[in-house]
Amino acid sequence: MTSPFAEVIGDPIAHSKSPIIHGFWLDQLGIDGSYRTHRVAVEELPAYIVARRDEATWRGCNVTIPHKVSVMAQVDDPGNVRGTIGAMNTVLRQPDGSLIGTNTDAAGFAAPIAGIDLDGRPVAVIGAGGAARAVLFALARLGVGPVTLYNRTPLKAAALLSMFGLKGEVKPLGAPLPPVALLVNSSALGMTGQPALDIDLAPLPDDAIVYDVVYAPLETALLAQAHQRGLDTVDGLDMLIGQAALAFELFFGAEPPRDRDDALRVLLTT
């Protein structure tokens, strides 16, 4: 019997570190399986989903840019992800060939800051795409104070604040930051091959945290600027590993060895 496999889909996708993460856990646990990348262009998504329904060894896929919203129309949604987060980053194949979607991004994002008291404190978020939906969903449950959301299309951003019941305001990209306790870049700005994120961190207080979901490069220009200020930071690998751990258990039925995260981070950064 062919070994089970999972994959990550997106466009572009060659930069993804997910195969390294899942491959490390598979090796550590001695599981006969694999995890790979699969480039899927926007117009190819429906055909990809149809083809995978009939592939019994395919356990599912993680979903990244630009499919996190559009994939919701292609799969079942028993957990009402559409009505809560509004984006899916994980698709699972059921034994009967049906496909269900879920989201592990929100929990993966929240894990590194779960012990920080953000109740009622102001936050700024850059971006209003699929990753931003998971970020805002998590922030709403952490009870943060007003949220300043930066995006090119203000109406889309305002709709997201309303969707998650968050108070705040929308500003265009490039507008000055308010003195927030947490700044999150949930956009692709600053990623290798993408436009730079042009932002001045001077307004942030000395106890602010800067969180960048981008992980290629690992130290983005945003994080480098935060380090120069002496601010606490969270890099994209923290969220990536966190969301991957939840997906791994869904794909392969085993809990990943999180006690070996230090070795995994070394592997991911060398």
Side-chain angles (χ1 to χ4, degrees), residues 154-220:
L155 285 178
K156 178 181 179 182
L160 284 187
L161 288 181
S162 177
M163 174 182 178
F164 295 109
L166 291 164
K167 295 181 179 179
E169 62 179 324
V170 174
K171 291 186 178 182
L173 289 173
L177 287 171
V180 295
L182 172 68
L183 168 66
V184 182
N185 175 33
S186 69
S187 75
L189 295 174
M191 181 187 293
T192 301
Q194 298 294 321
L197 174 58
D198 184 16
I199 194 165
D200 182 8
L201 301 184
L204 297 187
D206 291 341
D207 63 346
I209 301 167
V210 177
Y211 193 145
D212 199 337
V213 304
V214 171
Y215 60 85
L218 183 57
E219 183 174 73
T220 60

Side-chain angles (χ1 to χ4, degrees), residues 19-35 248 252 257 260 267:
I20 298 174
I21 297 171
H22 288 265
F24 175 82
W25 290 333
L26 288 167
D27 289 343
Q28 293 292 310
L29 296 176
I31 294 175
D32 181 21
S34 62
Y35 186 100
F248 181 89
F252 300 107
R260 302 172 196 175
L267 186 64

Side-chain angles (χ1 to χ4, degrees), residues 19-264:
I20 298 174
I21 297 171
H22 288 265
F24 175 82
W25 290 333
L26 288 167
D27 289 343
Q28 293 292 310
L29 296 176
I31 294 175
D32 181 21
S34 62
Y35 186 100
R36 61 193 71 164
T37 60
H38 190 118
R39 180 180 172 273
V40 177
V42 170
E43 66 275 10
E44 298 170 341
L45 182 62
Y48 167 85
I49 293 295
V50 169
R52 285 295 188 254
R53 289 183 189 276
D54 298 325
E55 196 156 355
T57 55
W58 182 76
R59 296 292 181 82
C61 66
N62 288 121
V63 181
T64 189
I65 296 171
H67 304 308
K68 289 186 178 185
V69 174
S70 57
V71 76
M72 292 190 296
Q74 308 293 327
V75 300
D76 296 333
D77 182 22
N80 192 29
V81 175
R82 293 185 188 93
T84 53
I85 298 177
M88 292 176 175
N89 80 315
T90 305
V91 174
L92 304 169
R93 185 183 186 277
Q94 303 301 288
D96 63 359
S98 64
L99 304 184
I100 63 172
T102 188
N103 190 302
T104 65
D105 275 339
F109 164 78
I113 57 174
I116 300 169
D117 183 11
L118 293 170
D119 189 35
R121 303 188 70 190
V123 173
V125 177
I126 299 166
R133 291 171 179 266
V135 167
L136 293 170
F137 176 85
L139 291 175
R141 275 143 188 80
L142 290 172
V144 300
V147 175
T148 305
L149 187 55
Y150 293 80
N151 195 51
R152 292 189 183 91
T153 52
L155 285 178
K156 178 181 179 182
L160 284 187
L161 288 181
S162 177
M163 174 182 178
F164 295 109
L166 291 164
K167 295 181 179 179
E169 62 179 324
V170 174
K171 291 186 178 182
L173 289 173
L177 287 171
V180 295
L182 172 68
L183 168 66
V184 182
N185 175 33
S186 69
S187 75
L189 295 174
M191 181 187 293
T192 301
Q194 298 294 321
L197 174 58
D198 184 16
I199 194 165
D200 182 8
L201 301 184
L204 297 187
D206 291 341
D207 63 346
I209 301 167
V210 177
Y211 193 145
D212 199 337
V213 304
V214 171
Y215 60 85
L218 183 57
E219 183 174 73
T220 60
L222 175 65
L223 293 184
Q225 186 184 167
H227 292 152
Q228 290 174 357
R229 276 279 319 274
L231 301 176
D232 288 336
T233 62
V234 181
D235 64 46
L237 282 188
D238 285 319
M239 179 174 174
L240 183 68
I241 293 171
Q243 65 80 24
L246 298 169
F248 181 89
E249 189 165 356
L250 294 171
F251 294 145
F252 300 107
E255 187 176 342
R258 295 300 304 276
D259 59 327
R260 302 172 196 175
D261 276 7
D262 288 345
L264 176 56

